[in-house]
């Protein structure tokens, strides 16, 4: 008598492996072979799975289920032609087997023929009442096609069939997010929670949607219910802490982050948030303590190094800030954020040459933020290298063509470089962009405010602007 695979799967597997070792031949029911094959495939033991399929088909040559498992393995190995041939054979015997359509769809999907895969799955839906897996597969195909509206509907159908299918629930919310339909997501989750009021996953997702809309009180309430539904749900404590930070309730945020640490091994993110909260409260020794733990826990977390650097920079302890940003650069010299911060610190120390080098590294590594161009230009101005400063600002204006601050700076540097014609043209453009920022130009380049043509140009632009 064959073993019942769903009751004694381990015994079936042990018996099968014993057979392989001894070269004896044991008989198994087709259902036992299915259990054994699924076990191996699910655990990535493809060669053993293939061996079980081979022996299974020798003992049960007419088993459709074993042949379909063989198709699955052939498709996994990209042997599409052999898989299609076997599917033709199965379909000739049983034309209404939905699994044939599902496997054909799987092959089309692997060939990036996603619309064909969708068409096959829709055919499968017409011949079966067991549609959960098909709707899930449809959802994934629609995601591959960037059809988030249809994907959302498919995953919604999965949740209708099984309201504990949290994977599909996550996918529904993901589609709403991608479509930027936060109101739709909130409505959907509230409707779901009317039927499943103690689902911590749904409360957690609802809180995130409220947070995306900056509805902090509503988000906090949702995360509270997530914690009530499952008081060990670490993700909800984290999100709740983030909301409390937004609300300036730092002591309560600390309590929630500390809860996560008490439940499992502390993460660098938890240490980082605790450090930020204590810094906001003026608990500087505790802030330093948690920042140090952040970088110790995860030396590759750039937010940790930037936080501890910013902390010392904020205390005007520039040497200490430089020490930590250099440690970060030694660990990851390809991180443009580190180099940008290094440039800022060197500028504060009035070490202009090192600041120039740091900003160049930041830009070479892909940091094109507005403040990088402004600060680098200012450093070169301090050095007196006006030509280089002009080139930096011209580069910056390629990314921010209508930025009046860069334009005013460029006009001032052309003046310093005795490029009178260029300066007139650029200063005129800057004032047309924002005459209100002229005061900043006058502050940065006071030596030119009393120049006759500058005063005349300002007067002309002001009259035009009226």
């Amino acid at each position: 008598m064959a073993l019942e695979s769903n009751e004694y799967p381990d015994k079936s597997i042990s018996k099968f492996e014993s057979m392989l070792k001894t070269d004896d031949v044991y008989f198994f029911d087709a259902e036992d072979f299915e259990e054994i094959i699924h076990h191996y495939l699910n655990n990535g033991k493809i060669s053993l799975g293939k061996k079980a399929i081979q022996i299974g088909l020798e003992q049960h040559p007419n088993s459709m289920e074993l042949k379909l498992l063989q198709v699955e393995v052939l498709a996994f190995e990209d042997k599409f032609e052999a898989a299609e041939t076997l599917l033709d054979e199965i379909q000739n015997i049983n034309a209404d087997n939905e699994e044939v359509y599902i496997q054909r769809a799987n092959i089309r999907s692997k060939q990036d023929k996603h619309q064909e895969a969708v068409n096959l799955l829709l055919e499968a839906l017409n011949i079966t009442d067991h549609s959960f897996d098909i709707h899930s597969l449809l959802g994934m195909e629609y995601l591959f096609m960037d059809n988030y509206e249809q994907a959302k509907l498919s995953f919604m159908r999965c949740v209708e069939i099984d309201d504990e299918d949290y994977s599909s629930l996550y996918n529904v919310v993901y589609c709403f997010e991608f479509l930027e339909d936060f109101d739709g997501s909130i409505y959907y989750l509230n409707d779901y929670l009317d039927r499943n009021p103690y689902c911590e996953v749904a409360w957690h997702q609802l809180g995130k949607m409220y947070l995306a809309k900056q509805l902090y009180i509503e988000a906090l309430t949702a995360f509270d219910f997530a914690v009530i539904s499952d008081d060990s749900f670490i993700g909800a404590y984290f999100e709740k802490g983030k909301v409390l930070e937004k609300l300036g309730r730092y002591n309560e945020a600390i309590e929630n982050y500390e809860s996560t640490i008490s439940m499992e091994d502390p993460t660098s993110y938890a240490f980082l948030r605790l450090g930020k909260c204590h810094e906001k409260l003026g608990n500087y020794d505790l802030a330093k303590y948690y920042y140090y733990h952040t970088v110790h826990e995860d030396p590759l977390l750039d937010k940790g190094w930037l936080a501890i650097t910013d902390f010392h920079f904020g205390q005007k302890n520039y040497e200490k800030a430089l020490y930590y940003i250099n440690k970060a650069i030694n660990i990851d010299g390809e991180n443009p954020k580190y180099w940008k911060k290094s440039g800022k610190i060197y500028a504060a120390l009035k070490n202009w040459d090192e600041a120039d080098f740091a900003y160049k590294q930041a830009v070479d590594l892909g940091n094109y933020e507005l403040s990088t161009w402004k600060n680098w230009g200012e450093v070169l101005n301090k050095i007196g290298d006006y030509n280089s400063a002009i080139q930096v600002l011209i580069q910056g204006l390629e990314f921010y063509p209508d930025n009046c601050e860069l334009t005013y700076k460029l006009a001032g540097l052309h003046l310093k470089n005795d490029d009178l014609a260029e300066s007139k043209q650029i200063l005129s453009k800057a004032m047309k962009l924002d005459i209100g920022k002229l005061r900043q130009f006058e502050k940065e380049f006071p030596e030119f405010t009393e120049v006759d043509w500058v005063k005349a140009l300002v007067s002309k632009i002001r009259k035009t602007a009226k």
Side-chain angles (χ1 to χ4, degrees):
M1 178 179 174
L3 296 165
E4 291 293 330
S5 61
N6 59 344
E7 291 183 17
Y8 310 108
D10 291 342
K11 289 186 178 180
S12 293
I13 292 158
S14 298
K15 182 180 173 184
F16 179 75
E17 292 182 356
S18 174
M19 180 182 76
L20 294 179
K21 289 174 185 175
T22 60
D23 287 333
D24 293 335
V25 178
Y26 302 152
F27 179 80
F28 295 84
D29 277 355
E31 291 82 2
D32 290 327
F33 274 115
E34 289 176 51
E35 189 76 42
I36 292 165
I37 294 160
H38 280 299
H39 168 79
Y40 288 133
L41 296 184
N42 291 338
N43 287 280
K45 298 178 179 179
I46 306 301
S47 58
L48 283 169
K50 289 166 69 174
K51 188 69 175 176
I53 290 170
Q54 177 197 330
I55 297 171
L57 285 171
E58 287 172 1
Q59 294 188 10
H60 306 279
N62 297 320
S63 170
M64 294 294 163
E65 287 74 15
L66 293 179
K67 287 181 179 179
L68 285 165
L69 284 168
Q70 187 176 23
V71 168
E72 193 175 322
V73 172
L74 288 168
F76 176 78
E77 296 180 327
D78 294 342
K79 296 176 180 177
F80 302 132
E81 190 174 337
E84 291 280 13
T85 300
L86 188 52
L87 283 168
D88 289 341
E89 178 188 319
I90 296 167
Q91 197 162 21
N92 285 335
I93 299 168
N94 184 357
D96 291 332
N97 189 327
E98 75 274 5
E99 193 63 32
V100 172
Y101 293 94
I102 291 171
Q103 289 300 330
R104 287 196 196 279
N106 178 43
I107 292 168
R108 299 296 186 280
S109 183
K110 293 196 74 175
Q111 294 172 323
D112 292 329
K113 299 175 180 177
H114 300 296
Q115 186 57 58
E116 290 183 31
V118 165
N119 295 340
L120 286 160
L121 290 168
L122 291 174
E123 285 189 62
L125 275 180
N126 291 328
I127 58 175
T128 181
D129 295 328
H130 307 292
S131 58
F132 175 87
D133 289 340
I134 300 173
H135 283 295
S136 181
L137 291 168
L138 271 169
M140 294 309 299
E141 291 304 316
Y142 285 127
L143 284 181
F144 287 133
M145 296 163 67
D146 295 333
N147 188 340
Y148 294 93
E149 190 62 46
Q150 284 298 324
K152 180 184 70 178
L153 296 174
S154 294
F155 291 124
M156 280 180 172
R157 188 75 185 95
C158 292
V159 177
E160 284 176 28
I161 296 167
D162 178 7
D163 59 11
E164 292 187 2
D165 176 26
Y166 298 141
S167 176
S168 291
L169 183 62
Y170 278 120
N171 282 328
V172 170
V173 176
Y174 171 77
C175 291
F176 272 118
E177 277 187 285
F178 196 90
L179 294 165
E180 296 184 356
D181 184 7
F182 298 108
D183 289 332
S185 182
I186 288 168
Y187 178 85
Y188 176 80
L189 288 166
N190 273 310
D191 182 63
Y192 176 89
L193 284 162
D194 284 342
R195 303 189 305 276
N196 304 276
Y198 298 105
C199 177
E200 71 279 4
V201 172
W203 282 116
H204 180 246
Q205 291 300 302
L206 180 61
K208 289 176 73 173
M209 294 302 99
Y210 281 131
L211 188 54
K213 287 179 64 67
Q214 298 183 337
L215 297 171
Y216 299 130
I217 300 302
E218 292 84 349
L220 189 60
T221 301
F223 293 132
D224 273 334
F225 277 114
V227 170
I228 291 167
S229 302
D230 179 2
D231 61 6
S232 63
F233 190 1
I234 288 175
Y237 285 103
F238 267 125
E239 295 294 341
K240 190 178 170 187
K242 284 164 62 177
V243 176
L244 288 164
E245 279 192 72
K246 296 279 188 186
L247 294 170
R249 293 157 61 177
Y250 300 112
N251 282 312
E252 292 172 76
I254 287 167
E255 289 176 17
N256 280 272
Y257 294 135
E258 286 178 341
S259 294
T260 69
I261 291 174
S262 67
M263 290 179 201
E264 65 173 25
D265 291 339
T267 64
S268 57
Y269 180 77
F271 286 137
L272 176 62
R273 296 322 313 165
L274 282 163
K276 292 278 189 184
C277 289
H278 280 295
E279 186 174 0
K280 291 284 187 182
L281 290 168
N283 303 330
Y284 297 125
D285 287 340
L286 280 169
K288 280 195 290 185
Y289 170 84
Y290 284 115
Y291 288 148
Y292 292 149
H293 274 68
T294 301
V295 295
H296 176 76
E297 186 70 27
D298 184 1
L300 296 179
L301 181 67
D302 61 1
K303 289 181 180 177
W305 291 108
L306 293 171
I308 197 168
T309 301
D310 283 341
F311 173 80
H312 288 297
F313 190 91
Q315 301 289 311
K316 297 188 177 180
N317 192 343
Y318 302 130
E319 295 290 349
K320 200 82 169 177
L322 185 62
Y323 170 79
Y324 281 103
I325 205 62
N326 282 338
K327 284 197 73 168
I329 288 170
N330 287 335
I331 292 169
D332 180 10
E334 300 296 305
N335 190 321
K337 293 179 182 176
Y338 293 162
W339 285 107
K340 181 182 177 182
K341 192 68 66 176
S342 174
K344 185 177 179 181
I345 296 165
Y346 276 121
L349 289 166
K350 295 183 170 48
N351 189 335
W352 308 118
D353 289 331
E354 289 292 348
D356 172 32
F357 178 78
Y359 281 122
K360 183 180 186 306
Q361 291 295 107
V363 169
D364 286 347
L365 290 167
N367 185 291
Y368 308 130
E369 293 172 4
L370 176 61
S371 57
T372 303
W373 301 110
K374 286 198 299 185
N375 294 340
W376 190 11
E378 184 55 33
V379 165
L380 289 164
N381 178 27
K382 294 288 187 185
I383 293 171
D385 187 353
Y386 304 133
N387 284 323
S388 295
I390 286 166
Q391 290 307 310
V392 163
L393 293 176
I394 287 171
Q395 276 184 274
L397 283 164
E398 289 177 10
F399 292 91
Y400 306 94
D402 293 323
N403 184 268
C404 60
E405 291 177 81
L406 292 182
T407 310
Y408 273 118
K409 278 183 179 292
L410 185 58
L413 286 164
H414 273 298
L415 272 169
K416 283 195 167 189
N417 211 33
D418 296 326
D419 304 327
L420 191 59
E422 282 289 327
S423 183
K424 283 183 178 180
Q425 181 184 343
I426 295 166
L427 185 57
S428 176
K429 180 185 175 182
M431 287 190 285
K432 287 174 183 175
L433 284 171
D434 189 348
I435 190 69
K437 291 287 174 65
L438 178 63
R439 189 176 299 276
Q440 184 63 32
F441 170 81
E442 293 170 342
K443 183 178 177 182
E444 286 190 53
F445 304 99
E447 64 268 40
F448 302 116
T449 55
E450 295 302 318
V451 173
D452 289 342
W453 72 261
V454 173
K455 290 196 289 184
L457 183 60
V458 171
S459 177
K460 179 183 174 183
I461 297 294
R462 287 192 190 279
K463 285 177 184 176
T464 307
K466 287 180 181 179

